[in-house]
């Protein structure tokens, strides 16, 4: 059995039943080894899409997505998707072919030093050599990618080593899983200290991030709020974790967060953060001048917790899995009958949500993207998974769509690559084929990976692609509205292309283009009822500005509601 075959057999042992990839000369031994197993191969239109699809597979389910590509430009094409997974703590494996060891660093065709390119963009990079046991490399990497702060592992696999005979031992996968088991629990004194802090607060606010984006963690934070009803906000990556139908779920915080969330954070006296990156777009002002709030912070990433301890001086912090932390807190609360007295604050939050509803220009002649999201929200169920590209449509989807489960709103948060939606939707479908998968995109983001329309059509994948076409890069154009007096250099992309016709040619069984408001309601209903690949293009107002918004460098008190959400 050669090492390529050992890799394939190891993937089978791990329960892998699908990989995403794009073949090439230096990875052919691996492709043919995988091809001789029951593992299915989804071939994308390019390598970036293969890695995005693998990331979407991880985001939507409990298994680790796997991309397999060849050497040189193939592996460098995955860099954006790898960096995206690293920023959002998404586990993923990327196997790359490499030239033979004897040809490395000799200007060989399609050779690049993978480690030097990826070392700051991945959780780990492994260059396989003749001393490695491939079974151990593959199985260990799978569980390492999931462990601690999850992330992508890139495995550089020279062509000669793929063909070399190796040893397959059939080592139990559980042995590698146990290697990364963590037993970080809060002690009784820590639980007591936390609840003393919480009970003393009059206006506590929970902030939920992507670190809780699993069914188990979501169940825990929902149980916590059923008991305490602490007003809670979420990051973009935390959407769907909270029960968004309850009054205590205030909505998304941040530069484009909902008004009530951005108002609530200005008033809180205790900011309790679970599983967040503490990035500049959401809470750069928490703990700084202008906000008088104590901080409690829980995260599994030691470096981030240590950074926050130094820069923000939280009253309470803990390095560990947020799911276990909440479980410990709940157990303590039940045993000690912990109660909170925050009724005035809860009523105030209800009032904020009523006083500051989302709104848009309902009298505009052209269709508004916000209007489309507002209507789409009526079709979202607990079996819906949404992917987005990056831009105004992404933020509007996060604002307007109520998601009912974790791992249901799949979007690029920390790195923000356009072109994310289509390939990620493909991965999401294969991770959860029982779900209705909707890929929401802007025209600028769609064009980044337009080739995945071909992948969807060719494979007849029943994904619903919703294109909000405003003929340009709306988010950047909005910045130009404010900073460059509407001088749209490089961001206007007017075209007569009918994308619905393109989708038809590429195999979509349903395709429609909407240009008038009176077509929208029926068009969305037909789109959502369609079977097989479905494509709906809605031509939207190119002058629409995304609100609310907080300009870079400003604080929450500087939030601009815009002309349709002004104070009442």
């Amino acid at each position: 059995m050669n090492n390529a075959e050992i890799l394939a057999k190891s993937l089978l042992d791990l329960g892998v039943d699908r990989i995403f990839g794009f073949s090439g000369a230096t990875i052919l031994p691996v492709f043919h080894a995988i091809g001789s197993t029951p593992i299915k191969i989804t071939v994308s239109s390019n390598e970036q899409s293969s890695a995005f699809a693998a990331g979407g597979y991880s985001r939507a389910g409990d298994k680790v997505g796997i991309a397999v590509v060849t050497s040189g430009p193939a592996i460098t094409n995955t860099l954006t998707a790898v960096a995206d997974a690293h920023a959002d703590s998404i586990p993923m494996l990327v196997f790359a072919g490499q030239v033979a060891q004897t040809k490395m660093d000799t200007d060989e065709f399609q050779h690049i030093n993978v480690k030097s390119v990826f070392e700051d963009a991945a959780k780990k990079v492994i260059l396989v050599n003749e001393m490695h046991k491939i079974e151990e490399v593959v199985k260990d990497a799978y569980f390492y990618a999931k462990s601690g702060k999850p992330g992508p592992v890139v495995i550089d696999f020279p062509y000669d080593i793929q063909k070399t005979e190796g040893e397959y031992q059939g080592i139990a996968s559980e042995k590698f899983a146990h290697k990364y088991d963590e037993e970080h629990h809060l002690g009784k004194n820590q639980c007591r200290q936390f609840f003393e802090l919480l009970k003393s607060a009059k206006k506590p606010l929970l902030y939920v991030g992507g670190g809780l984006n699993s069914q188990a963690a979501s169940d825990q934070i929902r149980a916590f709020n059923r008991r305490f009803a602490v007003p809670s906000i979420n990051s973009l990556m935390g959407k769907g974790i909270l029960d968004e139908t309850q009054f205590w779920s205030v909505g998304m915080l941040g530069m484009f967060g909902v008004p009530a969330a951005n108002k609530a954070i200005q008033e809180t006296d205790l900011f309790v953060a679970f599983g967040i990156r503490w990035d500049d777009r959401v809470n750069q002002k928490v703990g700084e001048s202008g906000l008088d709030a104590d901080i409690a912070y829980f995260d599994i990433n030691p470096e981030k917790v240590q950074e926050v301890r130094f820069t923000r001086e939280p009253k309470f912090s803990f390095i560990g899995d947020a799911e276990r932390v909440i479980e410990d807190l709940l157990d303590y609360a039940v045993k000690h009958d912990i109660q909170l007295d925050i009724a005035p604050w809860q009523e105030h939050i209800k009032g904020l949500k009523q006083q500051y509803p989302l709104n848009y220009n309902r009298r505009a002649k052209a269709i508004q993207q916000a209007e489309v999201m507002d209507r789409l929200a009526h079709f979202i169920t607990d079996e819906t998974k949404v992917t987005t590209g990056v831009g105004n449509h992404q933020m509007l989807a996060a604002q307007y769509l109520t998601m009912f489960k974790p791992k249901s709103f799949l979007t690029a948060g920390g790195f923000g690559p356009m072109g994310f939606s289509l390939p990620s939707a493909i991965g999401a479908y294969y991770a959860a084929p029982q779900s209705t998968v909707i890929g929401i995109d802007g025209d600028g983001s769609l064009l980044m990976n337009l080739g995945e329309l071909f992948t969807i059509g060719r494979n007849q994948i029943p994904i619903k692609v919703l294109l909000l076409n405003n003929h340009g890069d709306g988010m950047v154009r909005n910045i130009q509205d404010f900073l460059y007096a509407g001088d749209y250099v490089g961001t206007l992309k007017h075209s007569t292309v009918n994308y619905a016709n393109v989708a038809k040619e590429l195999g979509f069984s349903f395709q429609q283009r909407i240009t008038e408001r009176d077509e929208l309601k029926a068009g969305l209903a037909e789109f959502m009822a369609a079977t097989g690949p479905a494509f709906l293009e809605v031509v939207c107002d190119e002058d629409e500005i995304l609100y609310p918004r907080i300009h870079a460098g400003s604080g929450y008190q500087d939030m601009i509601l815009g002309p349709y959400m002004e104070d009442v």
Side-chain angles (χ1 to χ4, degrees):
M1 184 179 287
N2 66 31
N3 283 325
E5 294 167 330
I6 292 173
L7 184 155
K9 183 67 173 70
S10 300
L11 293 179
L12 281 175
D13 291 347
L14 290 164
V16 174
D17 55 14
R18 180 174 300 274
I19 64 103
F20 304 87
F22 199 102
S23 65
T26 65
I27 199 64
L28 279 179
V30 169
F31 260 83
H32 281 266
I34 292 174
S36 66
T37 73
I39 298 173
K40 296 178 176 61
I41 303 173
T42 297
V43 178
S44 304
S45 64
N46 59 59
E47 296 86 1
Q48 184 192 93
S49 289
S50 296
F52 272 142
Y57 187 86
S58 293
R59 290 171 188 260
D62 297 323
K63 293 183 178 181
V64 175
I66 296 171
V68 181
V69 302
T70 195
S71 59
I75 181 60
T76 57
N77 278 351
T78 72
L79 180 61
T80 296
V82 170
D84 169 69
H86 192 45
D88 288 346
S89 300
I90 305 300
M92 181 170 71
L93 298 186
V94 178
F95 292 92
Q98 180 58 279
V99 302
Q101 290 185 101
T102 56
K103 300 293 185 179
M104 294 177 68
D105 300 316
T106 64
D107 291 328
E108 180 76 355
F109 176 68
Q110 291 192 337
H111 168 257
I112 194 165
N113 186 320
V114 171
K115 184 174 180 61
S116 66
V117 172
F118 282 83
E119 60 184 350
D120 291 330
K123 184 174 182 181
K124 188 176 185 179
V125 182
I126 302 168
L127 171 59
V128 178
N129 60 43
E130 66 275 1
M131 301 301 293
H132 282 108
K133 295 181 178 180
I134 301 303
E135 180 184 0
E136 294 182 12
V137 169
V138 174
K139 292 180 179 178
D140 185 73
Y142 186 92
F143 292 104
Y144 178 74
K146 296 173 67 175
S147 69
K149 180 183 183 295
V153 177
V154 176
I155 300 169
D156 197 18
F157 202 176
Y159 182 74
D160 54 338
I161 296 180
Q162 294 176 44
K163 299 195 298 178
T164 300
E165 292 297 305
E167 181 183 5
Y168 170 74
Q169 298 176 282
I171 306 170
S173 298
E174 291 76 15
K175 183 175 181 180
F176 297 92
H178 291 323
K179 176 180 176 182
Y180 297 106
D181 282 347
E182 296 183 356
E183 300 297 336
H184 294 179
H185 286 276
L186 287 170
K188 292 181 181 179
N189 285 338
Q190 289 171 309
C191 290
R192 176 182 55 77
Q193 291 168 11
F194 173 79
F195 278 114
E196 285 178 355
L197 188 63
L198 183 60
K199 288 170 67 177
S200 67
K202 300 300 182 185
K203 299 178 180 180
L205 191 64
L206 303 189
Y207 182 36
V208 172
L212 269 67
N213 201 3
S214 70
Q215 188 62 57
S218 176
D219 288 345
Q220 293 291 352
I221 193 64
R222 291 183 185 210
F224 188 92
N225 263 346
R226 282 195 298 273
R227 181 177 181 87
F228 295 115
V230 179
S232 303
I233 56 182
N234 59 270
S235 69
L236 177 65
M237 297 302 298
K239 189 167 177 61
I241 297 170
L242 295 164
D243 184 349
E244 297 184 12
T245 66
Q246 299 297 326
F247 81 86
W248 56 72
S249 179
V250 186
M252 183 178 71
L253 178 72
M255 183 178 285
F256 303 108
V258 300
N262 287 348
K263 290 285 186 180
I265 196 173
Q266 297 178 54
E267 301 178 28
T268 181
D269 58 3
L270 177 62
F271 186 74
V272 183
F274 292 101
I276 66 165
R277 293 186 303 110
W278 215 275
D279 73 81
D280 65 301
R281 287 209 165 194
V282 291
N283 53 337
Q284 73 270 31
K285 298 300 181 185
V286 177
E288 297 178 2
S289 61
L291 283 178
D292 184 18
D294 292 332
I295 295 171
Y297 182 42
F298 303 86
D299 197 84
I300 202 165
N301 182 3
E303 293 181 2
K304 181 57 66 173
V305 176
Q306 290 157 9
E307 173 193 323
V308 171
R309 284 173 177 170
F310 182 76
T311 59
R312 310 301 173 107
E313 299 181 0
K315 290 291 182 69
F316 188 96
S317 60
F318 184 79
I319 300 170
D321 185 275
E323 173 194 335
R324 291 190 183 125
V325 164
I326 301 169
E327 183 179 8
D328 293 337
L329 292 173
L330 277 170
D331 287 344
Y332 184 91
V334 171
K335 289 177 183 178
H336 295 83
D337 192 26
I338 302 295
Q339 304 291 332
L340 299 183
D341 181 16
I342 56 171
W345 174 235
Q346 292 166 332
E347 290 302 313
H348 180 66
I349 290 297
K350 292 179 184 178
L352 282 180
K353 293 178 71 173
Q354 293 172 353
Q355 184 179 0
Y356 297 102
L358 290 166
N359 203 359
Y360 53 89
N361 184 0
R362 297 176 183 270
R363 297 181 179 180
K365 181 178 179 181
I367 299 171
Q368 304 295 291
Q369 292 191 38
E371 177 182 3
V372 181
M373 291 300 98
D374 194 20
R375 286 192 176 275
L376 180 65
H378 299 288
F379 294 94
I380 304 298
T381 73
D382 59 2
E383 291 300 323
T384 305
K385 290 187 184 294
V386 168
T387 69
T388 79
V390 171
N392 283 358
H393 71 276
Q394 174 191 29
M395 297 296 108
L396 289 165
Q399 290 176 3
Y400 280 90
L401 302 184
T402 296
M403 307 308 298
F404 297 94
K405 288 183 177 180
K407 288 183 170 284
S408 61
F409 190 82
L410 315 180
T411 195
F415 201 57
M418 296 170 70
F420 176 92
S421 181
L422 286 184
S424 295
I426 293 170
Y429 168 75
Y430 285 119
Q434 75 286 353
S435 299
T436 298
V437 179
I438 308 172
I440 304 172
D441 238 334
D443 54 303
S445 201
L446 180 87
L447 286 168
M448 291 283 185
N449 275 313
L450 187 68
E452 293 320 296
L453 291 180
F454 172 79
T455 305
I456 294 168
R458 179 170 64 89
N459 293 292
Q460 286 297 289
I461 307 171
I463 291 170
K464 299 181 185 299
V465 178
L466 175 58
L467 170 61
L468 305 183
N469 184 0
N470 64 354
H471 299 295
D473 303 323
M475 180 170 280
V476 181
R477 200 160 59 204
N478 283 174
I479 296 173
Q480 291 172 322
D481 284 320
F482 287 97
L483 299 184
Y484 296 91
D487 186 9
Y488 303 127
V489 176
T491 54
L492 283 177
K493 299 177 181 178
H494 289 115
S495 169
T496 60
V497 171
N498 184 318
Y499 288 97
N501 286 344
V502 174
K504 181 179 180 179
E505 290 297 319
L506 293 174
F508 279 68
S509 51
F510 174 93
Q511 65 286 318
Q512 185 177 346
R513 188 174 200 251
I514 291 174
T515 60
E516 301 296 332
R517 177 171 284 108
D518 58 9
E519 302 171 325
L520 183 59
K521 183 178 180 180
L524 272 174
E526 292 172 19
F527 169 68
M528 292 303 298
T531 58
F535 186 96
L536 181 64
E537 176 185 4
V538 183
V539 179
C540 296
D541 186 354
E542 64 183 55
D543 295 319
E544 181 180 3
I545 296 178
L546 172 62
Y547 290 108
R549 61 193 302 118
I550 301 172
H551 292 310
S554 299
Y556 292 101
Q557 71 277 7
D558 302 313
M559 175 175 61
I560 303 170
L561 289 172
Y564 312 108
M565 288 182 277
E566 294 295 346
D567 293 21
V568 296

